[in-house]
Amino acid sequence: AFGEEATAVLPKDAKLPNGTSDISISGGKYSCATEKPRVNSPNALVVGLAFIPRWRKDSVIKWAAKSKGWPTPEHGVIAANRLKEAAEEWNNHNVGVTFEWVDDIEEACFVLQYGGVLGGVLASAFFPNDALLNAVNVYSKAFESTEVGILKNVFLHELGHVLGLRHEFALDIGPRFEGGAVPFLESNPKSVMAYVFPPMIQVSDVKSTKAFYNWPASEKIGFFDVTDFDPM
């Protein structure tokens, strides 16, 4: 069973009071923890794990935002609105699935929540799966004065992971190598899944993600099987 703090969520489209502006906890360089410490993710666009997970085409990925556990209530509202903006940008590209903010955690595939302090990491997400509830975490670093202004961009990157995209550099030889991935279509070092700061969706990201979601589930990508999940 979940307690009230675990299940309490913001109303969808929650707004800050008039006159309230962006805040910061304290008073660059992008870092994402979604693929750490994995060594096993379409960008090249890069996709894969031990298999290639994606959502069934035309799925609606519903999300909610926790109302409790933030440094202040305003932090939660700001994060939720930046995630909404990032989700709408992905939705506008019609890549094959869409995101929807809901205010009932029972309907949600994932929840936005505060993850506390994790060094220089701004946020983390997840890949498509059959879990009852996933999480997108935003960490204290993301609310610092130098980072909070690009929080939407941070979420553009994290939602790329939610769509099934790996880091653009997942197969680069060297300290950033993550493995367990396969390139898909053209490579772009400025991809939203790279560590270009701030992350922005490129034309190649849209083209590759659309192709990824149109790829027949019966056909492998490289040596990897494609597995479709229905959002819970």
Side-chain angles (χ1 to χ4, degrees):
F2 295 103
E4 179 182 353
E5 182 160 321
T7 59
V9 298
L10 293 168
K12 61 183 179 180
D13 301 320
K15 301 295 183 184
L16 287 170
N18 290 337
T20 305
S21 60
D22 282 356
I23 41 70
S24 64
I25 288 176
S26 73
K29 181 180 179 181
Y30 184 70
S31 185
C32 157
T34 302
E35 301 196 49
K36 300 174 182 177
R38 290 184 179 87
V39 291
N40 287 329
S41 120
N43 240 13
L45 227 36
V46 179
V47 292
L49 287 168
F51 57 90
I52 296 175
R54 67 179 180 185
W55 304 108
R56 197 173 307 282
K57 190 179 178 185
D58 298 323
S59 292
V60 178
I61 313 304
K62 297 181 179 181
W63 62 276
K66 285 190 176 181
S67 60
K68 308 289 186 180
W70 300 91
T72 70
E74 289 78 13
H75 284 80
V77 175
I78 286 173
N81 277 276
R82 298 302 172 265
L83 179 56
K84 176 190 175 185
E85 292 168 3
E88 288 175 343
E89 183 166 335
W90 274 112
N91 287 351
N92 288 340
H93 290 301
N94 299 308
V95 295
V97 299
T98 54
F99 297 99
E100 179 185 346
W101 185 1
V102 298
D103 50 18
D104 183 351
I105 200 168
E106 297 294 331
E107 296 181 29
C109 172
F110 73 87
V111 64
L112 174 67
Q113 62 188 18
Y114 183 61
V117 179
L118 194 62
V121 176
L122 304 182
S124 63
F126 61 95
F127 298 109
N129 63 71
D130 58 1
L132 290 177
L133 186 65
N134 295 281
V136 169
N137 294 297
V138 58
Y139 302 101
S140 61
K141 178 72 174 176
F143 292 107
E144 292 184 0
S145 57
T146 54
E147 316 292 352
V148 69
I150 52 91
L151 190 52
K152 170 195 169 182
N153 302 79
V154 171
F155 288 137
L156 289 175
H157 177 99
E158 297 305 330
L159 290 179
H161 287 309
V162 175
L163 290 170
L165 313 185
R166 293 284 302 275
H167 287 143
E168 178 76 6
F169 50 80
L171 295 175
D172 288 357
I173 301 301
R176 298 196 302 179
F177 179 79
E178 294 164 350
V182 60
F184 189 81
L185 301 187
E186 61 185 290
S187 178
N188 185 350
K190 294 183 179 180
S191 167
V192 71
M193 302 313 296
Y195 273 4
V196 176
F197 192 82
M200 298 177 68
I201 296 174
Q202 305 296 312
V203 172
S204 62
D205 294 323
V206 176
K207 177 181 176 181
S208 297
T209 307
K210 285 182 176 181
F212 177 49
Y213 273 93
N214 283 317
W215 190 269
S218 59
E219 295 185 16
K220 293 178 182 287
I221 298 178
F223 296 104
F224 294 90
D225 291 320
V226 177
T227 300
D228 286 342
F229 290 96
D230 294 304
M232 304 301 284

